[in-house]
């Protein structure tokens, strides 16, 4: 009866079609190719085709794209009965968010003569914004309908774009890899949404809130892709030349150090010394998050490795000790532990960025200062004030995420959006046609999920 | 007894070795490095090593390569007992086809002084041609022996090269992403082959012609990789500069719009509003197919999104309503639904390409017209006639595919090629050593497949 | 009792933390950005940001990175109960080895004024060295603790760097794709370690030393990624321009020919003509290994295909006939068959490289000789002597690998490192928290692994 609201037969098509048609209309009215994409504009100028920015951004874009669709999508397949939704809803909301983010980010910093100009750099930025939404998705994984997720994406993209505009354009902060704009924002936004959507009797679905052997292997596909391509993520939109090169290298070493810390901490915090897949799948990535702001700076490999090492330790400790507290005391049921992978490491990354900015000197950066800290190079501000800007940016991000998440969480709570009942969380079959698990076992599986499923179908 | 023909002990080695030895001899006689690959030729000229086309094509090549081997391979693993064959036969026929396509395509448009010159661009084109063969493979998946597939590849590559030559060189059509040359050709060729190979009692294997939970997740690996890298596919061989940039961007937005349409339509066409993995795995990709011809043109993001949106709708409707008709009325058993993913969206893409070409103006393209429509830029033809050429190209492609598929289908039907019996379609164990499904269940599984297997082994 | 040594609660954290802290200190003291990474240094010179080597190496780096972490990691998931360890230990030791290799390789050929200079090329080389360690891992897969593997990596990286220094800097050999430095070294090093760690009663774990259906599909993810990106691997550190282009192309055709040979041989050597996944997963890659030395030379596509074809044949024959002999007569239990994939094809590649070098002429190479054989171009040596150098390099590599493996094998044998007992080889649950296989089957699975597991936990 109440479950009728989870039937997506009309709701999902209506929402998808309305959103897509609005997007198409807005693109028709507002969006143009930028001068590197437009046939006429590009050929107006005298340059080699090899100078097109496509060749210096697109490989990074594709790596980021893999992180968004394979990385995030498969990382969340660890749940035993939620693989279709993890990959599939990830796919849906990302496909929506990249379009919507193009408009929102373009509105705030891509307008030229009343038109939004797009190209490979705006594609990367749209993917970045989408990453933030997917982080929030991780906090509510298994407890939301696809419509709730689209609603979340709709509002979160707007708030992301506003926050990004304040940080990068108003405050003049640097955050190429998005420790603040992407990770901190996405994590705390999602955590507050999870708080608002708190389910006191969620343990009715507890038996499904765990992995099985092969689901953990699918999740490792996500983990490894995120890990490998994080250097591309952090360096995708920095200035060209040494900046991209340095950011990729710093991230590479931060992640490597983080991985050893993660394995050590995972064994140390287990009563029998056995490694925990949850830690390996998530905490080993914290080094990429924590290098998101300072990665483009002269952090040095030495500094990068320290940052990664700390991020790994913090992240495992978070999974072990903080997540249970969040759930019991603060009533935040953080399915994927985004607080440990994106929240705390994001804050760590913001702080490292602020400190690294504050100690920047022309002695270290030389002429390269112009790319990394243009305002410092111009003499508009001194380095320590750049550090202050970075710190303020962290505070603004936390504030935006918390308030935004609160607001959007309440919107998402509207019954019409079709959230699953407490008895059918972490369960694909409520929104998907689900086949059996292995040949010869179909009956058995159907039995496992059937009592509620039948009611739904009835 | 009849089943003895499916024993590959001698047949497969003979076919593989003969084909490979012929390829080696033909390469020895006919093939040379082009001037960007040859040590002597490259160093004869005065240019920077950074100007080598390798740097401006190879990243796209690798993305295409991933689509061919991982994308197509894993997309077809959705069947519960056909994962080895899906990935494994895909691997085999692709490895053959890329070599054979190098020769055939080189023969038609890469000859220099009696030699075929090869480099990164010919590698991409060979992968493209292979993609067409793999599309046809999708139509007959589960019902053919590896030798039949090699025979199909042998002939299809020749016909692909002829058709491509007629379209691009004789008719002067544009089709960078292959809506016509790759998708329409591969789909209708495969569908006619499937018609010729029609099996009236295929329902003896019906219980295996479906997915299980984890096989659908493996298939999603294929889907997501195809989706992510389609912008690289469509832009891989366009002119450099704005053209590659624009094609990638158009495809990106076409796919995003297609995905929302797919999710909406999938829920709408299900009686209980539940999403169907078959739609998500396939129809969400139709936006890439449909942007294959017009992607390099000034389609605008607005136009791209409309095309993708329509492609998604058409594709889901095809799966829901047209595929059953094809099977029952036309006796075409299209295992992967290639008509819905490649056939109809390919035709849509060809039509969109013809219309977009017909309305091209120097007002829109400026000097960039030379890259996109050289004959129009030269004044040899006007834009509307370029549109006519595109439309004729579609007709030629359909004709070539239908006649070619008919011919090749009858060749493939020869009993000596070892097609599986109707009782053992969609089943790995006829051509592969197959282990159990999960530890502790080996006995059970063996029982499931053993009756026929034992006869075969006996 | 003895099993207490396999408890990693304290050992693994201590080892990980000590190693990582030493790495951080050594990086702090010794490592600097090179002039393409450092903000100040890069901007001292007058060049375009687009000339930064990042843009001409980083896409290759990322492909190599995928091979190391996804390729090697998933290739080894074929075992039914060792997927966590395969991907997870691969991840751990690779994360350690890339840092340690940066130092060791930098010490031997990256020192500038007492500092090790690093950038994208050193990152590729560090990944290469790591690949060698992972090959050795394949030989001992399932029979070692993570600490033993870290100990192996610690010493093997040093010996790899010494051997690489002797070959490339002292002997003046060419080995861009590492047929000798990476594959031959890694394989024979690992085989000797496996010999030293010989377990006479390993058949107590025999029932776990095999695949299940889905584990073979996971392994195919590794195979296909290795296969697709091998052209990038072999060309990643060659000279720019025609050299990278040619190496990638040669490897592409070598792999394609190898694949057909593999399928043919796999069917031919099976008593019932059925394909064996072990062959497909491994032997189809031998063409990449065998093109590792000569790939950058003017091998021609014709030559490359012959090399690949032979490599595939040798490799399948090795799996079929040589591996059982190695185990029974030489007491080498080579879990992944690295002798067949890396050992013999590596030697073949070294020989092909020596012969191809010996016949190099300025007639063929023109001015390009300077990039491929600088000493021949300079007139310091003639081509035939370059061939001799290559042959000596193979002998040196074999000697270093055998002696090094012997030494390191005995170190790894120390009981304190916590090797698994013979009854618990090829089993994740000894070092990992392992969930059930499928919902509803947890109890059953726990029963399967519980007798020993309980003792361990007790």
């Amino acid at each position: 009866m109440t479950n009728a609201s989870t039937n997506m037969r009309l709701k999902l098509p209506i929402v998808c079609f309305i959103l897509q048609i609005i997007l198409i209309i807005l693109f028709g009215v507002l969006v143009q190719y930028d001068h590197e994409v437009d046939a006429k504009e590009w050929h107006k100028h005298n340059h080699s085709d090899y100078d097109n920015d496509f060749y210096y951004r697109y490989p990074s874009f594709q790596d980021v794209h893999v992180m968004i669709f394979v990385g995030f999508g498969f990382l969340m397949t660890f749940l035993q009965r939620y693989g279709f939704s993890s990959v599939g809803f990830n796919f849906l909301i990302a496909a929506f968010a990249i379009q919507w983010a193009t408009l929102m980010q373009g509105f705030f910093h891509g307008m030229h003569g009343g038109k939004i100009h797009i190209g490979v750099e705006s594609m990367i930025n749209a993917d970045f914004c989408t990453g933030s939404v997917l982080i929030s998705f991780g906090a509510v994984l298994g407890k939301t309908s696809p419509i709730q997720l689209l609603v979340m994406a709709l509002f979160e993209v707007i708030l992301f774009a506003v926050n990004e505009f304040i940080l990068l354009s108003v405050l003049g902060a640097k955050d190429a890899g998005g420790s603040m704009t992407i990770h901190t924002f996405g994590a705390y936004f999602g955590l507050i949404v999870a708080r608002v959507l708190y389910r006191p009797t969620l343990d009715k679905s507890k038996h499904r809130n765990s992995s099985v052997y092969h689901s953990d292997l699918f999740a490792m596909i996500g983990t490894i892709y995120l890990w490998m391509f994080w250097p591309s993520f952090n360096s995708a939109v920095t200035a060209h030349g040494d900046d991209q090169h340095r950011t990729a290298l710093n991230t590479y070493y931060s992640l490597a150090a983080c991985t050893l810390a993660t394995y050590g901490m995972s064994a140390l915090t287990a009563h029998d010394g056995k490694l925990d897949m949850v830690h390996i799948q998530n905490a080993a990535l914290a080094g990429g998050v924590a290098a998101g702001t300072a990665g483009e700076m002269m952090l040095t490999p030495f500094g990068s490795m320290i940052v990664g090492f700390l991020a790994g330790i913090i992240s495992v400790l978070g999974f072990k000790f903080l997540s249970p507290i969040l759930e019991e005391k603060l009533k935040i049921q953080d399915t994927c532990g985004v607080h440990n992978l994106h929240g705390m490491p994001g804050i760590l990354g913001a702080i490292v960025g602020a400190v690294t900015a504050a100690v920047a000197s022309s002695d270290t950066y030389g002429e390269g200062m112009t790319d990394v800290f243009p305002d410092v190079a111009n003499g508009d501000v001194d380095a320590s004030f750049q550090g202050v800007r970075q710190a303020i940016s962290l505070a603004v991000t936390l504030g935006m995420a918390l308030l935004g998440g609160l607001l959007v969480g309440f919107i998402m709570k509207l019954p019409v959006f079709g959230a699953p009942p407490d008895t059918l969380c972490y369960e694909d079959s409520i929104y998907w046609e689900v086949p059996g698990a292995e040949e010869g076992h179909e009956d058995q599986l159907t039995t496992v999920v059937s009592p509620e499923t039948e009611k739904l179908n009835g």
Side-chain angles (χ1 to χ4, degrees), chain A residues 20 32 43 45 147 153 246 310 323 368 439 445 447:
Chain A
Q20 188 58 54
Q32 283 183 347
H43 286 272
H45 304 93
I147 294 179
R246 186 169 58 245
L310 293 177
S323 284
E439 53 279 58
L445 263 166
T447 314

Side-chain angles (χ1 to χ4, degrees), chain A residues 20-55:
Chain A
Q20 188 58 54
I21 289 166
I22 291 173
L23 284 168
I24 290 175
I25 294 168
L26 290 174
F27 265 70
V29 175
L30 288 171
V31 174
Q32 283 183 347
Y33 297 131
D34 74 17
H35 68 281
E36 312 224 31
V37 184
D38 187 272
K40 192 176 182 180
E41 292 300 316
W42 174 252
H43 286 272
K44 269 187 188 163
H45 304 93
N46 185 25
H47 37 210
S48 161
D49 278 336
Y50 292 164
D51 289 338
N52 196 291
D53 205 32
F54 179 76
Y55 301 108

Side-chain angles (χ1 to χ4, degrees), chain A residues 283-301:
Chain A
L285 300 168
V289 174
T293 303
E296 65 177 319
M297 304 176 191
M298 289 289 288
L299 184 58
T300 77

Side-chain angles (χ1 to χ4, degrees), chain A residues 233-317:
Chain A
F233 189 94
N234 284 348
S235 66
V237 294
T238 65
H240 285 304
D242 60 300
D243 303 78
Q244 280 197 279
H245 204 151
R246 186 169 58 245
T247 313
L249 188 147
N250 286 340
T251 309
Y252 174 83
Y253 286 107
S254 176
L255 284 162
C258 179
T259 303
L260 264 79
T262 298
Y263 275 81
M265 289 302 294
S266 184
L268 187 64
T269 57
H271 76 283
D272 54 2
K274 292 187 182 182
L275 295 163
D276 187 333
M277 262 291 167
V278 172
H279 302 158
I280 308 308
Q281 284 161 5
N282 293 280
L285 300 168
V289 174
T293 303
E296 65 177 319
M297 304 176 191
M298 289 289 288
L299 184 58
T300 77
F302 173 67
S304 305
M305 289 161 76
I306 293 174
V307 171
F309 190 65
L310 293 177
I313 292 172
I314 290 172
S315 189
V316 174
L317 290 176

